[in-house]
Amino acid sequence: MIRFENVVKRYGDFEALRGVSLEVAQGQVVVLLGPSGCGKTTLLRTVNRLVEPSEGTVYLGGEDVRRLKPEELRRGIGYVIQSIGLFPHMSVLENVLVVPRLLGWERSRREARAREMLRLVGLEPAVFASRYPRELSGGQAQRVGLARALAADPAVLLMDEPFGAVDPPTRERLQDEFLRLQADLKKTVLFVTHDLEEAVKLADRICLMNHGKVEQYDEPETLLRDPKTPFVREFIGPSRTLLRLSRIPLKGLIEPLNGKVPAASVPLSAMAREAFSVLLAQGARSVAVTDEQGRAVGQVRLETLLRVASED
Amino acid sequence: MLEARSLKRSAAIAPLVAPVVAWGLLMGLFAYQDLWKRTLAALFPNQTPLFERQTLLNLALEHLAITATAGLFVLLVGLPLAIWVARPSGAAFRPLVENLVAVGQTFPPVAVLSLALPFVGFGSNGAILALLLYGLLPVVRNTLEGLAAVPPDVLEAASGMGYSPLQRLWRVEIPLALPVILSGIRTSAVLILATATLAPLIGGGGLGVPIVAGLAVNNQAFVSEGAIAVALLAVLLDWTFARLEAVLTPWRAIRA
């Protein structure tokens, strides 16, 4: 869906991108990860031509992005940035309407669509539609930003540290909701972050960058298990074992309860990491797994978690 | 839905009702010649109390006409000029324009009036030209400042959403710069209104007429008549613009 072919970007003598080639498959979430200044945001911005490469080509749906006028190209791409950039002089509804309006949708259609988008991101239109951005909390504003990006139903979403500026609990909630939405919408998403945990949580594939080059482009599990370069190994650091647990669903690790039910419990839908945290916190050797009704359906033992964490 | 929208709209212009009423009352006060005559006679017992060649209402309307015309020209010249030099295409001319409008204001209006006289002749036109030069600075400077103060992330988002440069200017940059632009217009309008009292020096009309006449024959009543009327107009004009700013930029208010 998105293909970078030997993309180079120079600013004077400085090379921000030094020949990046990368392919993003349709419907996937690809996270561009790396320290600040590694070129990840620059790379993202070549897709909607806010940055024009010095060399190389970016293809979107098989077509060179330079074939379209920048405005037309951008109207077909959802764009979310860290500082959100809501238009302060427009109400929430008008903000969400921006792209459909630019595309010339008729009024009733675009308003219905904007309301639907607000509902989708968990903002009740009756409450929020007529508010101005300054009347929103950080998390609400970021939801509006997402609704605005989704309003014209673009196939591709570019997200530049979209959850970077909100407090940790809100960030986690926004991440969960993003995953829930993505499961339905199946957009092709290019997502920039410097937060390894966020990358591991959200990505289908992670592209770890450094100094304008791709260090490794792999599924999170592979990246964590098998770092290809010293830089990747160092960037991932000692938390990689724990992070791997956050990619493993509990479902496959459950053993039958033999008689006694452990005091602590985690939901069936949780990841192995959550069970591990509970075990650490309680100092227990096993934890009960409960279904949606809260009934214990099995247990997960500490030994199992230790085994899967160190597996290669 | 439609009802709600029109309700919202009428609620939005409600703050303008009071200024409209105030303007009506002030014109009524100007028309009440007798009150002015008695008051000024009491204040200055030994002088002809009221300028009789023209009614006060007439002078005030003339004054407002000069102010409005000069103000309109300020907008017609100042806004496009400032917007142009704030954009990449005109950026090279920005220092020149900034300096010119600054000079336009530092140059004494009286001097502009007399220098303009040979070109535009005797009458209100010369006054309007001088007032235009004098009033340009606040509008141009505030427009430049307002446009420069639009947050960069908003600009980036606007471009990223697919606004063309011109659409971005009209739908994002100018609306966001509007509060600062409006306050420049407000400053300029009050400045022009006050300075327009010099118009009679080159044959223009307005509330400067009794002031200049009073100064010539040493009649404080005439001077007071014109000065008080101008002051009242200035206060009301300033307040009207303040209300207008609130109406035009509702997004700045914090609602409970």
Side-chain angles (χ1 to χ4, degrees):
Chain A
M1 189 67 192
I2 308 172
R3 190 154 55 88
F4 300 92
E5 221 175 67
N6 191 33
V7 173
V8 175
K9 179 64 187 178
R10 276 184 290 266
Y11 295 101
D13 287 340
F14 175 69
E15 277 197 325
L17 295 173
R18 316 196 219 183
V20 175
S21 295
L22 194 70
E23 219 172 319
V24 179
Q26 177 148 14
Q28 282 210 323
V29 178
V30 168
V31 172
L32 301 175
L33 177 67
S36 26
C38 72
K40 53 194 192 297
T41 293
T42 309
L43 186 67
L44 179 94
R45 289 157 59 105
T46 60
V47 178
N48 61 1
R49 293 183 64 189
L50 286 172
V51 169
E52 301 280 5
S54 311
E55 282 171 39
T57 312
V58 181
Y59 296 94
L60 189 65
E63 257 191 74
D64 186 337
V65 292
R66 285 170 295 199
R67 288 269 305 269
L68 282 173
K69 274 171 64 178
E71 296 93 279
E72 284 165 28
L73 174 76
R74 290 169 193 160
R75 286 169 200 167
I77 300 174
Y79 189 43
V80 188
I81 55 180
Q82 178 180 354
S83 50
I84 315 172
L86 291 184
F87 304 124
H89 60 302
M90 298 183 191
S91 70
V92 165
L93 190 74
E94 288 169 323
N95 264 285
V96 180
L97 282 173
V98 163
V99 182
R101 185 179 276 163
L102 285 169
L103 290 170
W105 292 18
E106 62 174 286
R107 188 188 197 108
S108 56
R109 177 173 169 222
R110 67 189 188 215
E111 289 207 353
R113 174 71 183 178
R115 282 167 202 283
E116 184 192 331
M117 287 302 105
L118 285 177
R119 237 171 263 125
L120 188 70
V121 298
L123 296 174
E124 179 47 49
V127 179
F128 289 97
S130 62
R131 289 203 188 171
Y132 286 109
R134 62 186 294 170
E135 298 169 312
L136 302 174
S137 72
Q140 289 165 347
Q142 200 49 271
R143 283 159 203 257
V144 176
L146 187 58
R148 180 173 69 174
L150 290 170
D153 201 17
V156 172
L157 269 184
L158 305 178
M159 306 179 80
D160 191 354
E161 305 212 26
F163 311 138
V166 292
D167 56 88
T170 308
R171 183 183 317 152
E172 223 168 283
R173 210 163 48 239
L174 288 171
Q175 288 167 348
D176 291 339
E177 280 173 36
F178 169 76
L179 284 174
R180 176 179 59 80
L181 286 176
Q182 173 60 10
D184 287 342
L185 300 173
K186 298 268 190 289
K187 302 285 182 193
T188 306
V189 182
L190 206 52
F191 189 110
V192 164
T193 184
H194 59 255
D195 178 353
L196 176 63
E197 254 186 75
E198 182 167 74
V200 169
K201 180 170 177 181
L202 301 180
D204 293 314
R205 298 188 81 177
I206 293 176
C207 170
L208 184 53
M209 295 178 66
N210 188 32
H211 290 308
K213 286 189 89 74
V214 176
E215 290 278 340
Q216 188 168 353
Y217 182 41
D218 262 319
E219 285 164 8
E221 290 83 355
T222 318
L223 189 86
L224 293 169
R225 192 178 56 232
D226 186 16
K228 290 250 162 48
T229 69
F231 172 80
V232 178
R233 183 174 295 279
E234 197 186 326
F235 189 88
I236 292 170
S239 59
R240 68 190 184 114
T241 318
L242 206 52
L243 286 170
R244 281 175 66 187
L245 286 178
S246 69
R247 294 287 302 193
I248 302 174
L250 264 189
K251 281 207 177 92
L253 312 175
I254 299 173
E255 294 166 41
L257 291 160
N258 39 9
K260 58 179 175 36
V261 180
S265 72
V266 286
L268 189 55
S269 59
M271 294 288 173
R273 184 176 176 177
E274 204 174 317
F276 189 67
S277 300
V278 170
L279 286 175
L280 276 184
Q282 307 270 330
R285 316 256 341 150
S286 71
V287 58
V289 179
T290 54
D291 63 11
E292 273 132 54
Q293 281 78 44
R295 287 182 304 240
V297 292
Q299 63 171 336
V300 171
R301 291 182 306 119
L302 183 60
E303 289 78 21
T304 319
L305 294 174
L306 293 175
R307 180 170 50 75
V308 296
S310 55
E311 243 169 33
D312 275 314
Chain B
M1 187 64 219
L2 263 174
E3 263 170 57
R5 194 168 284 142
S6 65
L7 256 179
K8 209 176 129 193
R9 204 155 283 169
S10 63
I13 58 163
L16 290 183
V17 173
V20 168
V21 172
W23 278 99
L25 288 175
L26 187 61
M27 291 305 129
L29 182 67
F30 287 159
Y32 195 2
Q33 291 270 100
D34 220 35
L35 177 70
W36 288 80
K37 199 170 187 170
R38 270 185 281 134
T39 312
L40 289 168
L43 285 171
F44 307 101
N46 306 319
Q47 293 174 327
T48 318
L50 199 66
F51 187 76
E52 301 278 9
R53 265 183 291 160
Q54 257 181 302
T55 63
L56 182 58
L57 182 62
N58 221 316
L59 290 168
L61 290 176
E62 224 173 68
H63 197 92
L64 285 174
I66 293 172
T67 305
T69 313
L72 198 68
F73 277 114
V74 163
L75 295 185
L76 286 177
V77 175
L79 290 179
L81 195 64
I83 290 167
W84 174 58
V85 299
R87 305 201 58 69
S89 57
F93 295 91
R94 182 172 176 151
L96 179 71
V97 167
E98 279 180 312
N99 285 325
L100 278 181
V101 297
V103 168
Q105 202 186 33
T106 43
F107 217 74
V110 182
V112 177
L113 286 177
S114 53
L115 288 175
L117 197 57
F119 302 102
V120 292
F122 226 58
S124 291
N125 288 348
I128 286 168
L129 178 72
L131 291 172
L132 160 68
L133 293 179
Y134 197 57
L136 222 40
L137 180 73
V139 169
V140 170
R141 182 179 282 168
N142 279 39
T143 304
L144 287 172
E145 251 171 43
L147 290 174
V150 176
D153 59 311
V154 171
L155 293 179
E156 185 188 339
S159 294
M161 296 293 118
Y163 279 114
S164 70
L166 213 58
Q167 286 172 325
R168 193 178 87 166
L169 175 71
W170 279 111
R171 302 201 200 162
V172 179
E173 294 177 61
I174 290 179
L176 284 179
L178 200 59
V180 187
I181 297 176
L182 283 173
S183 85
I185 294 175
R186 176 177 166 190
T187 308
S188 176
V190 174
L191 211 60
I192 291 172
L193 183 94
T195 314
T197 46
L198 296 174
L201 292 178
I202 57 163
L207 289 165
V209 173
I211 296 177
V212 171
L215 288 173
V217 299
N218 201 15
N219 179 327
Q220 280 87 3
F222 287 2
V223 176
S224 304
E225 179 191 350
I228 292 168
V230 168
L232 288 172
L233 283 176
V235 170
L236 186 52
L237 188 66
D238 191 56
W239 180 62
T240 306
F241 268 106
R243 284 293 181 108
L244 200 63
E245 280 174 41
V247 169
L248 289 177
T249 57
W251 47 275
R252 294 170 73 220
I254 296 181
R255 288 175 292 184

